[in-house]
């Protein structure tokens, strides 16, 4: 059974960079046809897809969030079986629960999710 | 960008009743890539239905999905106390982008 676990600081200061890591167990991040996403949920609001990285390292970010797309980097660390999110120049609007999740390229639904981690942007 | 609009925003029902949740897309969506999730407070979303009508592993058969094109429905035939939660539809499109609906809150009447 695949398990995903987010980790990183719970508090980030405005204008700084938010950095989160998702550690995958029970499966390899470099296995064929898997796509590893970051999704966030502001307090009391809905789900917002940030982007994904494929098992071979290609990335795709949400173009409907232009203010986010220019600040996001998702990367893969196959040696540690992890993938990461970096979001630069954060503001209070980036306060959210951040989830990592896995999809299979043939069906594209998120079958496995991490528990989520709350990141608060505040000075 | 494909926009998914879910209705109603909140649905108040009693255990034992049936529930019908709607997800309407701003343009046609492939049924293969229309998904429903359930989210309870403090928890990650849980996969319910994928491919518009296929139940995920372990999902009771009181949950069913249907629809095509721009109109999709999640039906819960007999509500159990544990079914009261927020439900999201999600699509993955030809532009290789995901979008989520805004959610329907199913609350106990």
């Amino acid at each position: 059974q695949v398990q995903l676990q987010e980790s990183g600081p719970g508090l980030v200061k405005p204008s700084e960079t938010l950095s989160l890591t998702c550690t995958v167990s029970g499966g390899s991040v470099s296995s064929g046809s898997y796509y590893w996403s970051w999704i966030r949920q502001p307090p009391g609001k809905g789900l917002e897809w940030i982007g994904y990285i494929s098992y071979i390292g290609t990335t795709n970010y949400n173009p409907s969030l232009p203010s986010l797309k220019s600040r996001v980097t998702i990367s893969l660390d196959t040696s540690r079986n992890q993938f990461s999110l970096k979001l630069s120049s954060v503001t209070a609007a980036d306060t959210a629960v951040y989830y990592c999740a896995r999809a299979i390229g043939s069906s594209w639904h998120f079958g496995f999710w991490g528990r989520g981690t709350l990141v608060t942007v505040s000075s | 960008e494909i926009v998914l609009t879910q209705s109603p925003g909140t649905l108040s029902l009693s255990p034992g009743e049936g529930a019908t949740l709607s997800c309407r897309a701003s343009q046609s969506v492939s049924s293969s890539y229309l998904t429903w999730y359930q989210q309870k407070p403090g928890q990650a979303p849980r996969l319910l239905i994928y491919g518009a009508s296929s139940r995920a592993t372990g999902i009771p058969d009181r949950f069913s999905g249907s629809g095509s094109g721009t109109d999709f429905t999640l039906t819960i035939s007999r509500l159990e106390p544990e079914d009261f939660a927020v439900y999201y539809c999600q699509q993955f499109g030809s532009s290789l982008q995901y979008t989520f609906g805004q959610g329907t809150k199913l609350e106990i009447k």
Side-chain angles (χ1 to χ4, degrees):
Chain A
Q1 179 82 343
V2 172
Q3 293 187 322
L4 293 80
Q5 178 66 58
E6 305 87 351
S7 59
L11 181 64
V12 180
K13 289 182 168 56
S15 79
E16 294 190 343
T17 295
L18 179 160
S19 296
L20 295 174
T21 296
C22 183
T23 300
V24 179
S25 57
S28 171
V29 295
S30 57
S31 293
S33 298
Y34 290 135
Y35 292 75
W36 307 93
S37 278
W38 287 98
I39 297 155
R40 72 180 185 179
Q41 185 171 36
K45 296 187 178 181
L47 300 163
E48 196 170 73
W49 175 68
I50 298 170
Y52 69 62
I53 188 162
S54 76
Y55 59 104
I56 53 172
T58 54
T59 55
N60 186 15
Y61 302 130
N62 190 342
S64 299
L65 304 171
S67 66
L68 190 69
K69 186 180 178 182
S70 61
R71 300 186 288 127
V72 171
T73 302
I74 299 176
S75 58
L76 200 64
D77 185 340
T78 57
S79 65
R80 298 185 179 185
N81 216 37
Q82 297 174 335
F83 63 105
S84 298
L85 169 72
K86 289 190 186 300
L87 180 62
S88 63
S89 304
V90 296
T91 69
D94 295 310
T95 294
V97 175
Y98 286 77
Y99 296 99
C100 56
R102 189 192 85 170
I104 299 177
S106 56
S107 57
W108 295 103
H109 58 261
F110 298 116
F112 293 95
W113 296 68
R115 292 186 174 185
T117 187
L118 174 63
V119 179
T120 301
V121 178
S122 175
S123 55
Chain B
E1 176 198 359
I2 296 178
V3 176
L4 298 178
T5 301
Q6 293 186 240
S7 62
T10 301
L11 187 56
S12 300
L13 294 169
S14 301
E17 292 191 292
T20 301
L21 286 66
S22 173
C23 177
R24 179 161 291 177
S26 59
Q27 56 187 281
S28 187
V29 168
S30 170
S31 296
S32 298
Y33 307 137
L34 192 287
T35 305
W36 290 92
Y37 301 91
Q38 176 194 68
Q39 187 179 34
K40 295 181 180 179
Q43 297 184 17
R46 172 194 183 195
L47 176 66
L48 284 180
I49 301 286
Y50 63 93
S53 61
S54 297
R55 274 188 302 277
T57 302
I59 301 303
D61 60 7
R62 64 179 181 274
F63 290 90
S64 63
S66 63
S68 64
T70 60
D71 289 298
F72 298 88
T73 301
L74 174 69
T75 302
I76 311 171
S77 59
R78 298 168 307 280
L79 286 165
E80 297 286 344
E82 62 267 27
D83 299 336
F84 292 90
V86 179
Y87 291 84
Y88 293 95
C89 59
Q90 169 245 305
Q91 69 87 33
F92 181 78
S94 57
S95 58
L96 303 184
Q97 305 294 326
Y98 288 96
T99 53
F100 288 92
Q102 83 279 18
T104 290
K105 182 180 181 180
L106 179 56
E107 65 177 23
I108 299 177
K109 186 175 182 179

